[in-house]
Amino acid sequence: AVVPENVGKAQVVDGAPMNTGDKTWQAEILIARIGEDNMNHSGNVRTICFRGPSRTTESQAMEDADELNKCAEDGPKAVRAAALKLQKTKGRR
């Protein structure tokens, strides 16, 4: 099975710019799917991308990435729950 090298490791990527044109960042992580449909027809591992909210500072996005990394070992359900929790904190950071 071919597993992309960045699976299970959160990274900070450029987010969509704000209406004012200010730059944003967001954390994202690729997690390998589990179960029967974990590979596609050519033997590659299927992945799910979970993203944190857009942040106005790169350091906030790095904190989100750390949070996603902590949950990665526990599988997709844990990462999904963490990403949803981060999305709900969007306006408070």
Side-chain angles (χ1 to χ4, degrees):
V2 179
V3 180
E5 64 185 54
N6 56 348
V7 169
K9 295 181 204 118
Q11 56 189 5
V12 174
V13 296
D14 291 341
M18 298 176 70
N19 291 340
T20 60
D22 292 344
K23 199 169 179 174
T24 64
W25 294 266
Q26 69 184 142
E28 72 176 25
I29 187 168
L30 286 175
I31 298 292
R33 294 184 72 153
I34 54 176
E36 290 181 22
D37 62 344
N38 64 344
M39 281 193 214
N40 67 13
H41 64 281
S42 56
N44 294 325
V45 172
R46 290 179 189 249
T47 58
I48 308 167
C49 182
F50 295 102
R51 293 187 177 98
S54 293
R55 300 293 193 187
T56 54
T57 66
E58 195 169 3
S59 63
Q60 287 175 320
M62 289 296 284
E63 289 175 24
D64 292 347
D66 291 341
E67 188 72 29
L68 294 174
N69 277 328
K70 287 178 193 171
C71 298
E73 293 175 13
D74 297 328
K77 280 187 180 180
V79 177
R80 179 177 285 121
L84 286 172
K85 187 177 106 188
L86 289 170
Q87 290 290 351
K88 290 179 182 177
T89 66
K90 189 175 182 174
R92 296 188 206 121
R93 279 195 165 180

